[in-house]
Amino acid sequence: MATHTPGPDPRDGGDFDYTGGEVERPDLVDALDRRVDGDVRFDEYSRRMYATDASAYEVTPIGVVVPASTADVAAVHEYCFEEGIPVLPRGGGTSLAGQTVNEAVVLDLTGEMDAILDTDPDARTARVQAGAYVGDLTPRSRSTG
Ligand SMILES: Cc1cc2nc3c(=O)[nH]c(=O)nc-3n(C[C@H](O)[C@H](O)[C@H](O)COP(=O)(O)OP(=O)(O)OC[C@H]3O[C@@H](n4cnc5c(N)ncnc54)[C@H](O)[C@@H]3O)c2cc1C
């Protein structure tokens, strides 16, 4: 029978400490705050809010950023990549296998990046931001003709 050997943890060598659910990098909050216009939420309440999704898993994230723009998304990725900190984007959190919970900086795209930019029902195309709700999109996708 084949056995699975885990590879190296990609977080090894990252310039951050995260042990026992506590963030040991207080400057991380300030570093992210300086780089984004959106909300940076590292308080206990917010972290617990984002510790679950529609699955049975529960993992408290390092912190949460609610980006206001694609520039914010890029800034978080750039900084966290440099520091070796995992980033986990999240939409509605309805995935069922724990995909949106982890020890990472969670990006909540539904907060301010939920715009429906344009729809063309006849061509069956739509341009949306990553956090758009399908419930908002569906009525605008119906052809009037
Ligand atoms: C009651 C119920 C019924 C369901 N029925 C169906 C069904 O009928 N058919 C079906 O296909 N699914 C179904 N699902 C599953 C779920 O709805 C889908 O998985 C859904 O598409 C997930 O969308 P989300 O926005 O909630 O993504 P999330 O759960 O927030 O994220 C899903 C994954 O995508 C990643 N991700 C999210 N946003 C981004 C981004 N901007 N950039 C990069 N990665 C990103 C996340 O990191 C995660 O890995 C159901 C779920 C529930 C709870």
Side-chain angles (χ1 to χ4, degrees):
M1 190 166 89
T3 55
H4 173 69
T5 308
D9 187 332
R11 292 171 298 182
D12 287 348
D15 180 23
F16 82 113
D17 292 312
Y18 183 84
T19 52
E22 296 303 320
V23 184
E24 295 182 0
R25 273 277 312 269
D27 56 320
L28 175 59
V29 183
D30 292 338
L32 290 172
D33 233 348
R34 280 196 303 275
R35 286 167 172 79
V36 305
D37 293 327
D39 271 356
V40 176
R41 302 177 186 166
F42 275 57
D43 59 285
E44 187 68 14
Y45 178 77
S46 298
R47 292 171 61 222
R48 288 293 167 89
M49 285 270 289
Y50 288 86
T52 56
D53 58 10
S55 73
Y57 296 96
E58 182 173 341
V59 184
T60 305
I62 296 171
V64 181
V65 175
V66 184
S69 64
T70 49
D72 279 2
V73 174
V76 171
H77 276 91
E78 191 174 14
Y79 180 76
C80 289
F81 175 75
E82 281 167 8
E83 300 294 327
I85 300 169
V87 176
L88 181 62
R90 175 178 176 131
T94 62
S95 49
L96 299 169
Q99 292 100 317
T100 55
V101 290
N102 215 327
E103 291 177 4
V105 171
V106 167
L107 288 179
D108 179 0
L109 279 302
T110 64
E112 297 196 50
M113 296 191 64
D114 59 350
I116 297 170
L117 303 173
D118 61 64
T119 58
D120 183 342
D122 296 326
R124 300 174 67 85
T125 59
R127 233 163 41 84
V128 302
Q129 287 188 304
Y133 294 86
V134 71
D136 294 337
L137 176 64
T138 304
R140 290 183 47 178
S141 308
R142 295 199 178 102
S143 175
T144 52

